[in-house]
Amino acid sequence: MIGESPLEARGETFFLNLRFMLIVTVFAGNAIEPLIGSVGGMHSLYLWIFSFHMPLFVLVTGYFAGKGLTGTAGRKVLLQIGLQYLIFQTLYSALDASVFRVSNIQHSFFAPYLLLWFLASHACWRLLMLGMGRWSKTAQIIFAVSAGIAIGYLRLDGVWFSISRTFVYLPFFVIGYHFSFAAFVRVYKKYVKIAAAAASVLLFLLLGTLGSKLPLGWLYGSMTYMQLGAPEWYAGVYRLGMYGLQLAASLAFLGWVPYRLSRMTDWGRRTLYVFLLHGLVVRLAAASGIYDYLGNAGGAALVLLCAVSFTVLLSQPAVKRLLHPMVEPSVDWMITLQRAALRRSL
């Protein structure tokens, strides 16, 4: 990028690589979900993925938000998120009702459809960061962690407005927003990265042996303590422990992420397309009944291979050229209308 220092360019490369690796795990995690109860090892892999992939994805989102949170750029991002949400909430709900015929889905613009919670929460994270703009970094972190713990006590279905995930994952957005890549590379040198990657493998093995006692709901971040079967007054301590697990899993996974520029870096620029479109692939596969024939080790390997392949496919420039108006709709007309309305009111 013009005007960037070598360190800033290196940091962007690292985070684009990370973003692509994470979207692979998002796709893979959603693709193997129907197999976690029937194929050995899939439950362990699912737990391992969910221990870090959304916390890190939120952290990466916070990191890139730091470059355009305020002003016209920030306003355009918020408007675009809102438009993306309306488009895909309508699309997924319509397909569920007409094609996929999935039951137990709350079709409402106030209840984000499955993966679309991320859009609703992203808009809220940006607004919350604007509101905390004058606070110190320490105060922001303390508030984010406290709110993430406190939200679990609400007697409210955490799905509505994505309120639960918004506050549960807020600490990772704040960390990403203030992330110092310079400090990171001073610590994550070659041998530290190797040790972190090894720790990530160890965590996978530990979750495989001990993770059966860990309710998946705690990793989703979408449920209240009551919904999770923990009505105790001290249930917030469990979430604090979960934060510790997710932070450790995230730091360990970072050991796998390369610093160098590669084809993966370019793919990482278009992960939004994978994120918003991969649900259609997974839903179509589930509706087709193909999972009935994949309940074995070979079938699970095929599902993972397809998840990686489709991630690469949806990251291609041709997909962006074709679907750009839907995935990244222009909001310039909305800005123009706003300005015209403002001029008329003066």
Side-chain angles (χ1 to χ4, degrees):
M1 294 290 289
I2 296 175
E4 280 188 331
S5 69
L7 184 62
E8 288 174 330
R10 192 181 179 203
E12 179 169 328
T13 296
F14 177 83
F15 275 99
L16 287 173
N17 290 339
L18 172 60
R19 197 159 71 177
F20 178 77
M21 293 173 71
L22 289 173
I23 200 62
V24 169
T25 64
V26 169
F27 204 140
N30 290 331
I32 67 172
E33 187 173 3
L35 304 176
I36 61 176
S38 59
V39 181
M42 288 300 100
H43 187 264
S44 302
L45 180 60
Y46 191 79
L47 282 175
W48 180 71
I49 287 174
F50 270 83
S51 69
F52 65 80
H53 81 319
M54 288 320 304
L56 274 181
F57 219 117
V58 175
L59 186 147
V60 173
T61 304
Y63 177 81
F64 284 109
K67 298 181 179 181
L69 186 69
T70 60
T72 302
R75 188 162 65 252
K76 287 183 70 172
V77 171
L78 283 172
L79 289 172
Q80 190 172 67
I81 291 172
L83 199 51
Q84 288 166 339
Y85 180 79
L86 290 174
I87 291 171
F88 281 90
Q89 183 79 355
T90 301
L91 176 63
Y92 274 105
S93 295
L95 288 175
D96 251 10
S98 61
V99 179
F100 304 138
R101 300 190 182 280
V102 179
S103 58
N104 301 320
I105 294 290
Q106 296 168 315
H107 296 289
S108 167
F109 282 103
F110 301 106
Y113 183 93
L114 299 179
L115 57 90
L116 298 183
W117 72 265
F118 195 88
L119 292 179
S121 291
H122 185 190
C124 292
W125 293 325
R126 283 177 166 267
L127 293 172
L128 286 166
M129 283 303 301
L130 289 172
M132 296 187 292
R134 295 185 179 182
W135 298 4
S136 68
K137 296 177 185 178
T138 302
Q140 290 176 0
I141 289 291
I142 291 173
F143 169 77
V145 173
S146 300
I149 293 172
I151 199 70
Y153 291 103
L154 283 185
R155 299 299 177 93
L156 170 73
D157 191 331
V159 170
W160 294 102
F161 301 101
S162 188
I163 187 171
S164 182
R165 280 170 166 157
T166 294
F167 286 100
V168 167
Y169 289 116
L170 179 60
F172 296 99
F173 189 86
V174 175
I175 291 171
Y177 184 82
H178 295 294
F179 192 92
S180 171
F181 184 71
F184 175 77
V185 293
R186 284 197 296 269
V187 175
Y188 269 62
K189 299 184 184 296
K190 181 178 179 180
Y191 295 108
V192 174
K193 285 180 99 281
I194 292 173
S200 186
V201 174
L202 178 61
L203 178 63
F204 170 73
L205 296 175
L206 287 174
L207 288 173
T209 55
L210 304 175
S212 59
K213 298 180 180 179
L214 178 63
L216 287 171
W218 285 98
L219 291 172
Y220 294 153
S222 59
M223 303 179 187
T224 63
Y225 300 141
M226 188 70 70
Q227 290 173 315
L228 289 167
E232 302 87 0
W233 65 269
Y234 54 84
V237 176
Y238 300 148
R239 176 148 291 155
L240 190 61
M242 191 57 58
Y243 277 147
L245 170 63
Q246 291 174 321
L247 184 60
S250 298
L251 290 173
F253 184 78
L254 291 178
W256 291 106
V257 185
Y259 290 124
R260 65 182 181 278
L261 192 69
S262 67
R263 188 174 298 178
M264 183 169 63
T265 312
D266 182 55
W267 294 337
R269 300 182 188 280
R270 293 179 290 276
T271 54
L272 178 63
Y273 288 79
V274 186
F275 188 80
L276 291 178
L277 298 171
H278 85 278
L280 297 173
V281 179
V282 174
R283 276 288 195 237
L284 183 60
S288 71
I290 194 172
Y291 279 101
D292 294 338
Y293 305 96
L294 299 172
N296 52 59
L302 180 61
V303 169
L304 288 171
L305 178 61
C306 288
V308 175
S309 300
F310 271 107
T311 302
V312 173
L313 176 64
L314 293 174
S315 301
Q316 297 306 305
V319 175
K320 180 175 181 178
R321 287 194 298 270
L322 180 64
L323 299 177
H324 185 271
M326 180 173 71
V327 177
E328 295 182 278
S330 173
V331 294
D332 291 338
W333 60 275
M334 299 175 74
I335 298 292
T336 301
L337 288 176
Q338 282 183 338
R339 289 172 178 169
L342 182 60
R343 284 196 297 269
R344 284 197 298 269
S345 66
L346 294 178

